[in-house]
Amino acid sequence: MRVVLAEDLYLLREGLKQLLGAHGFEIVAAVDNGPDLLRALLDERPDVAVVDVRLPPTQTDEGLQAALAARRQVPGLPVLVLSQHVERLYARELLADGTGGVGYLLKDRVFNAEQFVDAVRRVAAGGTAMDPDVIAKLFARSDDTVGRLTPREREVLELMAEGRSNAAIGQRLFLSESAVGKHTASIFGKLGLAVSDDDNRRVLAVLAFLDGAR
Amino acid sequence: MRRGLHALAGGLLRGCYAVGSAVLLVVHLALFVPGLGLGLVVLLPWPIVLMRRFTDLVRRTCGGIPRPYRDRPGAPRREPDGRYRHDRRLYRSPFWPRQFDYLDWALGDPATWRDVGWLLTNPVVGGVLGFGPAALVAGGLALATGGGSPWWIPVGLVLAVAGGAVAPAAVRAHDAWTARMLAPRPGIGSLKAWLGKRFVTLTQLLALGGLTVVSAALAGLAFIAFSLFAIGIVGSVPEFATAARRYTGIRRRLAEQWSGVPIQTPYRPEPELPARRPDGLYAVGDSLYKTKGWTRFFQRLDWIWNDPATWRDLIWTFTDPIVGGALVAASVGAVLYGFVGMTIPALARLGRLQDPPGLAVLADRPVLALLAGLALVVVGTLLAPAALALHGRWTAVLLAPTAKAKLALRVEQLTESRADATSAQAAELRRIERDLHDGAQGRLVAVGLALGAVEALIETDPAAARRLVADARESTARALAELRDLVRGVHPPVLAERGLVEAVRALALDSPVPVTVSADLAGHPPEPIEAAVYFAVSESLVNTAKHAAASAATVQFGHSDGVLRAVVTDDGRGGADPADGSGLRGMRHRLSAFDGTVRVVSPAGGPTVVTLEVPCALSSRRTSTSSGKG
């Protein structure tokens, strides 16, 4: 699997290269600033990109902007964004086009190599990987969208928002896969999402949730 | 030469218009009298339309004056029952409503009456300005050719040339006058509003006139106070000054509200009780006092006595009755005297009433007295706004702080805000130090210890080593989480990355109360101000969430007159007391370092409006100088 990596701290960049290399990824470009990242994304068309939000030269959200710009030109280009802090504002911007293939994780998550690599693979396959912190922030507020869900459905949505498959959710919650399927169908119904391709609906559910919880 | 001829021709045309006006006027009279007098309203619209056609022609040919009329009303609308309505009557056919609508439209338009005014005056003005130059030329030529004596020839020629020379000016004057009469005039319809405003102004002046009595009373009080002071009752002066300050405070407010002249309070802040000397005494100036009460008493005397504003207040109490009184007399006094003292007695005299009220002047010429009285009323009314503004400026002369006092106040304010800012900063640094010490630093020590143990155990007890590594990983994750929270409190990363408005949007997303953020900023404020405003807005939103029981809140950003403004509004229960609550105090301290202010308006029952204002310029750059990592 071909990966473009953008991270300006040398140690972390090398560490990520090693980690991804050890799990069978091929690093086609490792850059340390925004303009280079955009060029690499458009030239290489990688299977997945791992991007730090804050990059030189401005030291603002250069990485996020480059990723969004690349996705505008190549819809659905899988991008996993890493950051020292998570903002719902950014999560929404990433998910806004509704095409999936988006991840947004705290940098701490690379500590757990297995889970991190799993998230990279999920994003590459067109799924989502939202940091549990983003999700926790959503559930910290009570409002209509969440209020209409049963506690069990909320748990399912929480895991779905993180990007887990029905099988993985079932495993976590000790449910059968078909029971999870029923819950997800009920969630889609309550969020008013029409029947369509399941993967897409999962992204839309998370997005509706991010928007609705405003 | 050609211009002169052209102007002469133009003058003749305008003269013809004058004749046309006269003719139209006759037609009007012929139709208006039966129209209004006999109730034949059908006759009314026609002359109006005729008049408009005529004035339109004049507008087109006299320099392209725009039309002033209102739009014509549409056809009467059919009611559900098939009848037609005008005002409060229903008609079976649309004929009458249409007529009445038409009449309302034509007669209710002030432009119609200006047209009539023009029609009345134009036969004379237009005749003189239009035909005048041509008449001069024609008369001059006639004199020159048929005058009989050769002496008339130069006189006639001079007259003719003069006629040609004044012709362009006459045409210009005619057109300017016509434009004044016939062009649209915005706001002329609101004579009532104008009169209302003048009435309010006159009432305010009258009130100020009444207050001069209080000033005079204070001046008398000052006399008593200083007499008492002279015989040794020194406490009288501070008491008098306090009363005077309360009164001048009211006058300052009135000057701002009525005359639009903002006046700062000029007094020095009251000093605090001095620290007790080692010998147990208090020092005020060069004197020492034993008890707190006397210390305070003499300190107060010292404070009042040495404040120049005290003496300016004193001078003002003596001069306000004179200067302020004169201003009031010139406006509202003239109106009152003109009406009560002249117009009414003159009318009574003219009406040959028994025992008419006395007339002080022009007693034997009631018509002249009537005219003079009315002129006084008009002049007084016209002078009123100027008198009110002057009154405000006069108040500022003595009641505003002097340049020196202003500087002293500013120094005082800066000293205070600097002390606030430095102590707030010190507290902040102490908090960061404590957080780092108890949090991340401690965790890193634990990680170091664990790794040391792993080094020792990795050969002998791999299982324990593995457990320790897992612990170490956990500790680093915790340390990171704590550092993240700390960084958020110091300078939120999203603020560095996106600037103030987006950072507040991110904040709004995380708020338990739905918050709408709107911004009208052409650039970015300087970074320190962004941070201060961000934390102040954050604090307000936290308060909203905690106390207001609100269902919605808004944050609005704006920048005008060099001031950045953030307004946080919620629809909660209100009743927030700005006096208590350390959050608000912190907000104030943060902003005061930048000369910023916080205003909280929170009546019981809501809504609560918190307004943050910081003077600053906006810049267009958006490159962060911070080198932190995201």
Side-chain angles (χ1 to χ4, degrees):
Chain A
M1 212 175 267
R2 301 168 68 248
V3 182
V4 165
L5 183 64
E7 166 61 61
D8 62 327
L9 275 188
Y10 174 76
L11 275 177
L12 197 49
R13 188 167 67 238
E14 292 306 307
L16 279 170
K17 260 189 193 167
Q18 227 166 40
L19 177 73
L20 290 170
H23 285 81
F25 291 89
E26 179 199 349
I27 313 289
V28 291
V31 299
D32 63 358
N33 64 67
D36 283 358
L37 168 63
L38 185 58
R39 215 167 302 129
L41 286 175
L42 294 178
D43 290 352
E44 299 289 343
R45 300 288 170 98
D47 296 320
V48 63
V50 178
V51 174
D52 181 7
V53 166
R54 199 183 281 196
L55 285 180
T58 56
Q59 290 292 7
T60 62
D61 58 345
E62 195 102 349
L64 178 68
Q65 297 301 347
L68 288 173
R71 275 172 67 87
R72 271 196 292 278
Q73 293 188 34
V74 188
L77 178 75
V79 176
L80 174 63
V81 174
L82 292 180
S83 175
Q84 291 283 26
H85 63 106
V86 285
E87 299 290 341
R88 241 173 76 196
L89 189 71
Y90 294 1
R92 231 173 51 190
E93 288 172 2
L94 278 166
L95 285 165
D97 59 8
T99 51
V102 167
Y104 184 36
L105 295 178
L106 275 176
K107 279 189 178 168
D108 316 12
R109 308 300 169 204
V110 303
F111 288 180
N112 190 330
E114 297 304 320
Q115 277 187 21
F116 176 66
V117 168
D118 183 39
V120 177
R121 285 190 209 283
R122 265 203 325 265
V123 171
T128 56
M130 280 294 125
D131 197 276
D133 266 22
V134 180
I135 313 295
K137 276 187 177 179
L138 291 181
F139 281 99
R141 348 184 353 158
S142 58
D143 47 54
D144 292 350
T145 322
V146 187
R148 272 181 286 145
L149 303 179
T150 64
R152 184 55 106 184
E153 283 166 0
R154 285 174 58 158
E155 282 173 346
V156 172
L157 178 57
E158 209 171 320
L159 289 169
M160 194 163 74
E162 283 178 30
R164 314 269 163 202
S165 67
N166 280 3
I169 295 172
Q171 219 174 0
R172 281 278 192 95
L173 299 177
F174 307 108
L175 292 171
S176 73
E177 204 177 324
S178 65
V180 176
K182 267 187 218 149
H183 285 306
T184 52
S186 161
I187 292 169
F188 292 151
K190 285 183 181 175
L191 295 182
L193 298 174
V195 182
S196 70
D197 139 52
D198 192 60
D199 264 357
N200 195 28
R201 271 209 292 180
R202 295 175 90 87
V203 176
L204 289 177
V206 178
L207 187 61
F209 181 33
L210 279 166
D211 272 343
R214 244 189 319 168
Chain B
M1 186 70 196
R2 245 183 82 197
R3 256 185 68 212
L5 282 178
H6 193 86
L8 277 176
L12 285 179
L13 175 69
R14 284 156 179 79
C16 293
Y17 287 155
V19 175
S21 318
V23 173
L24 207 60
L25 206 61
V26 174
V27 175
H28 258 73
L29 282 177
L31 289 170
F32 246 77
V33 173
L36 273 182
L38 306 177
L40 298 175
V41 282
V42 205
L43 289 177
L44 276 175
W46 189 71
I48 288 167
V49 170
L50 200 68
M51 179 175 74
R52 285 191 180 181
R53 273 210 195 122
F54 182 62
T55 51
D56 277 346
L57 177 73
V58 173
R59 275 187 201 100
R60 254 202 321 281
T61 48
C62 293
I65 303 162
R67 288 185 96 226
Y69 307 116
R70 291 179 185 160
D71 290 333
R72 262 189 90 142
R77 249 184 321 143
R78 218 177 132 100
E79 298 272 311
D81 60 358
R83 287 185 288 181
Y84 296 87
R85 180 179 161 176
H86 173 79
D87 204 13
R88 284 203 224 157
R89 271 189 76 88
L90 292 169
Y91 298 85
R92 270 173 220 293
S93 102
F95 177 79
W96 286 111
R98 189 183 300 132
Q99 292 300 319
F100 290 133
D101 280 348
Y102 193 84
L103 260 185
D104 282 353
W105 163 66
L107 297 184
D109 193 340
T112 302
W113 302 104
R114 289 210 305 279
D115 279 4
V116 171
W118 179 79
L119 220 54
L120 278 168
T121 42
N122 194 43
V124 179
V125 180
V128 170
L129 289 175
F131 285 136
L136 270 181
V137 172
L141 287 180
L143 261 184
T145 51
S149 136
W151 292 107
W152 286 113
I153 296 174
V155 175
L157 282 179
V158 165
L159 276 179
V161 169
V166 298
V171 167
R172 269 202 306 280
H174 174 275
D175 288 1
W177 174 73
T178 309
R180 228 186 131 66
M181 297 291 284
L182 295 186
R185 245 189 272 178
I188 189 72
S190 56
L191 182 72
K192 224 159 57 180
W194 185 84
L195 276 178
K197 240 173 17 209
R198 289 298 142 103
F199 183 74
V200 170
T201 308
L202 284 172
T203 315
Q204 287 168 343
L205 275 165
L206 194 64
L208 288 175
L211 281 175
T212 54
V213 178
V214 182
S215 302
L218 263 180
L221 214 65
F223 186 73
I224 299 171
F226 280 92
S227 306
L228 289 174
F229 183 81
I231 58 168
I233 306 175
V234 291
S236 60
V237 168
E239 289 313 316
F240 161 73
T242 311
R245 282 176 186 198
R246 205 165 297 149
Y247 173 64
T248 53
I250 296 172
R251 296 298 301 264
R252 275 185 204 98
R253 256 207 323 280
L254 289 184
E256 174 159 11
Q257 281 167 7
W258 291 355
S259 311
V261 181
I263 305 176
Q264 264 184 303
T265 306
Y267 310 114
R268 290 180 185 164
E270 187 163 4
E272 285 177 24
L273 196 72
R276 219 175 173 139
R277 285 156 46 91
D279 55 8
L281 300 175
Y282 298 93
V284 175
D286 294 336
S287 316
L288 296 175
Y289 301 97
K290 215 186 263 175
T291 64
K292 267 189 194 175
W294 282 113
T295 313
R296 218 172 260 137
F297 177 82
F298 283 104
Q299 200 180 22
R300 199 165 117 93
L301 182 62
D302 187 64
W303 165 56
I304 296 255
W305 192 267
N306 286 320
D307 191 343
T310 304
W311 304 102
R312 292 164 66 84
D313 277 5
L314 182 67
I315 299 172
W316 188 76
T317 56
F318 284 97
T319 47
D320 177 55
I322 302 163
V323 181
L327 280 171
V328 170
S331 52
V332 74
V335 172
L336 284 180
Y337 182 74
F339 190 65
V340 179
M342 294 181 81
T343 310
I344 290 178
L347 279 177
R349 219 156 276 240
L350 284 174
R352 306 198 183 287
L353 287 186
Q354 291 280 312
D355 195 16
L359 249 179
V361 285
L362 297 170
D364 46 349
R365 292 203 182 154
V367 177
L368 218 55
L370 176 69
L371 287 178
L374 288 177
L376 269 181
V377 170
V378 171
V379 168
T381 312
L382 287 175
L383 280 180
L388 191 62
L390 259 179
H391 198 283
R393 274 164 60 194
W394 144 250
T395 310
V397 167
L398 279 170
L399 294 193
T402 58
K404 211 170 139 196
K406 248 185 220 160
L407 272 179
L409 284 172
R410 180 86 185 125
V411 167
E412 184 76 26
Q413 194 186 341
L414 285 178
T415 312
E416 199 174 299
S417 74
R418 193 186 60 177
D420 281 353
T422 45
S423 72
Q425 200 180 19
E428 188 74 4
L429 287 174
R430 231 171 10 250
R431 183 182 67 81
I432 294 169
E433 185 272 337
R434 206 170 44 234
D435 282 3
L436 282 174
H437 182 267
D438 298 351
Q441 263 180 342
R443 301 230 180 262
L444 284 176
V445 171
V447 170
L449 279 175
L451 288 177
V454 167
E455 217 170 18
L457 285 173
I458 199 154
E459 300 289 336
T460 55
D461 190 353
R466 196 186 299 270
R467 223 171 30 245
L468 280 171
V469 169
D471 284 352
R473 199 169 71 183
E474 179 105 337
S475 284
T476 43
R478 287 237 183 90
L480 272 175
E482 282 164 9
L483 282 174
R484 199 154 41 233
D485 288 345
L486 188 64
V487 165
R488 225 177 249 284
V490 175
H491 192 92
V494 65
L495 185 61
E497 287 163 6
R498 288 286 179 89
L500 177 61
V501 176
E502 289 289 289
V504 170
R505 281 212 170 101
L507 195 66
L509 281 176
D510 291 341
S511 162
V513 180
V515 181
T516 328
V517 181
S518 62
D520 184 16
L521 297 181
H524 292 273
E527 263 187 47
I529 291 180
E530 266 191 339
V533 172
Y534 172 87
F535 282 111
V537 169
S538 165
E539 182 71 41
S540 319
L541 288 178
V542 167
N543 284 340
T544 297
K546 260 202 230 157
H547 309 297
S551 68
T554 60
V555 183
Q556 282 168 297
F557 289 102
H559 187 271
S560 58
D561 305 327
V563 175
L564 173 71
R565 202 166 284 111
V567 185
V568 184
T569 315
D570 71 54
D571 62 353
R573 62 170 163 236
D577 185 2
D580 65 26
S582 59
L584 190 77
R585 210 170 323 127
M587 219 192 280
R588 222 162 243 159
H589 286 175
R590 245 183 219 278
L591 290 180
S592 71
F594 304 100
D595 265 349
T597 54
V598 181
R599 217 167 45 238
V600 181
V601 178
S602 181
T608 300
V609 181
V610 180
T611 310
L612 313 163
E613 288 183 330
V614 186
C616 71
L618 299 183
S619 67
S620 56
R621 56 95 216 152
R622 184 67 246 154
T623 44
S624 170
T625 48
S626 87
S627 54
K629 277 293 302 159

